[in-house]
Amino acid sequence: MPMFSAPPQLDDPNAQAIHVFRMASLALVLAAGVIALLMVGVSDLRLDLSGSWALLIVLATFLLVGRWSYVRGRARLLGDGINAFALLLLATSFSGMISLLGLHQHFELVDTALLQLDKAIGIDDLAVLRFLAGLPTGLIDLLARAYNDTTLLMLLSMAALTLVGDRRELWRAMFCFTGSLPTVCLLSIATPAKGVGVWASAELLKSFPGRPATYFWQTFDTFYAGDVEAIRLDSLGAVVSFPSFHTVMGLIVLTMWRQYRWVRPLAGLWFAVMLVGTIPFGGHYFVDLIAGALVWALWFELSRMAERRAVPAQHLAAVPA
């Protein structure tokens, strides 16, 4: 049996949903890879793999171990987890290439437009930053931790679903991730922005630990100015402000735990804290969060539509909502 197996029997609706999500995730990763390579082909940058062999070896190892585990009946859950992690790494690498190559196109920055959009809906970004800067140090540190650990928490949630055997929600999460991340990066090509930090004073930003709102500026400026000759898989960094992918990841985490009574409120509480943290630490405008939520909603609804098409009507009730 290959890594991505043949369609399951019609009397197993849960397995059918898993199969659809798994195959669709693979297709989305391959599509992101094709887009990234095409963008390299039409740009004046070359793809430098000299420092990426370790990453490529890790990916190959994960895929091979995942396939071996998957063909073993009792190790199938392990295979799911390993394969999902490998696809996540590939999706992140390809999407990172897309966002950086997009910056290299040097579209006009949209920070002014995003700031005006926030004002139009009644959000004063600098007033929000000043309010958050006045919070007790412990609360500010909590906001920082919730924001900075978003990716880790998503990975831990995927690992937990693997351990408890919830393969359907694991692969739904992967489908939403591999669909949302390239979407966010493609949208960011036409909407490059450096975030709220553009408008905040250095003194205001010093109220927050680390490099709030500006941590990605060095990579952003380098590619936006065209001061590079090559793009490397091992040097990709987060450069997307609009839409907010932290919002997408947070909603993926919430979706993964929505069926678990005792975990769901904890996930909801973390999500609320993380969203607040995206403003000072991610440098996001409020409209960035709205756009990120809309991207997630699109892919989550597509997952539901794929489920309804894959599972016969008489078995659809057997697939949890």
Side-chain angles (χ1 to χ4, degrees):
M1 182 185 298
M3 170 182 164
F4 294 94
S5 59
Q9 297 298 316
L10 291 180
D11 59 355
D12 189 353
N14 201 49
Q16 290 176 71
I18 293 167
H19 174 75
V20 168
F21 293 149
R22 193 167 60 236
M23 293 301 295
S25 298
L26 175 62
L28 289 167
V29 169
L30 292 176
V34 170
I35 292 171
L37 291 176
L38 287 174
M39 291 180 69
V40 171
V42 300
S43 75
D44 58 355
L45 299 179
R46 59 183 175 84
L47 179 60
D48 181 5
L49 297 178
S50 60
S52 305
W53 294 113
L55 173 62
L56 295 174
I57 290 172
V58 168
L59 284 171
T61 301
F62 275 133
L63 290 171
L64 289 173
V65 172
R67 176 177 178 179
W68 176 85
S69 301
Y70 195 79
V71 300
R72 304 284 184 178
R74 294 185 178 181
R76 180 166 292 185
L77 290 177
L78 176 63
D80 273 326
I82 293 175
N83 288 334
F85 185 65
L87 289 182
L88 184 145
L89 287 177
L90 283 171
T92 301
S93 296
F94 293 147
S95 298
M97 289 175 63
I98 291 170
S99 62
L100 292 179
L101 289 163
L103 277 181
H104 196 62
Q105 301 303 311
H106 205 80
F107 281 79
E108 185 178 355
L109 295 179
V110 297
D111 284 287
T112 300
L114 295 177
L115 183 71
Q116 290 174 346
L117 280 173
D118 271 4
K119 288 182 178 179
I121 60 177
I123 302 295
D124 184 334
D125 295 296
L126 292 180
V128 172
L129 279 179
R130 287 191 290 268
F131 171 78
L132 295 176
L135 294 176
T137 301
L139 288 179
I140 293 177
D141 289 342
L142 180 63
L143 294 177
R145 177 57 61 88
Y147 177 80
N148 293 329
D149 289 348
T150 299
T151 302
L152 175 61
L153 184 58
M154 187 186 70
L155 292 174
L156 290 176
S157 295
M158 289 182 173
L161 290 183
T162 301
L163 292 175
V164 301
D166 195 343
R167 300 171 61 221
R168 177 182 59 86
E169 289 307 319
L170 168 67
W171 282 105
R172 186 197 301 277
M174 277 307 305
F175 172 79
C176 291
F177 183 93
T178 56
S180 296
L181 182 53
T183 301
V184 164
C185 291
L186 287 169
L187 289 173
S188 74
I189 293 175
T191 58
K194 297 183 72 173
V196 173
V198 169
W199 314 104
S201 67
E203 306 232 344
L204 178 56
L205 292 179
K206 284 181 181 178
S207 303
F208 304 95
R211 292 189 296 158
T214 65
Y215 67 92
F216 63 93
W217 281 11
Q218 181 176 357
T219 303
F220 187 104
D221 290 339
T222 298
F223 276 85
Y224 191 72
D227 296 334
V228 290
E229 296 180 353
I231 186 167
R232 298 166 48 133
L233 289 178
D234 64 341
S235 62
L236 302 180
V239 293
V240 176
S241 176
F242 177 91
S244 165
F245 193 65
H246 266 72
T247 301
V248 173
M249 288 192 290
L251 288 166
I252 289 175
V253 171
L254 282 183
T255 304
M256 282 192 281
W257 293 115
R258 71 190 188 285
Q259 302 290 337
Y260 295 82
R261 179 180 176 185
W262 300 109
V263 182
R264 183 174 58 211
L266 294 176
L269 178 61
W270 162 80
F271 179 67
V273 175
M274 186 276 292
L275 273 187
V276 176
T278 61
I279 297 173
F281 295 102
H284 283 295
Y285 302 97
F286 190 75
V287 291
D288 295 350
L289 311 186
I290 296 174
L294 290 175
V295 170
W296 167 84
L298 168 66
W299 285 99
F300 181 72
E301 181 56 30
L302 287 174
S303 79
R304 300 296 302 276
M305 291 172 60
E307 224 169 30
R308 289 192 290 268
R309 288 176 63 87
V311 181
Q314 65 267 31
H315 295 302
L316 193 57
V319 180

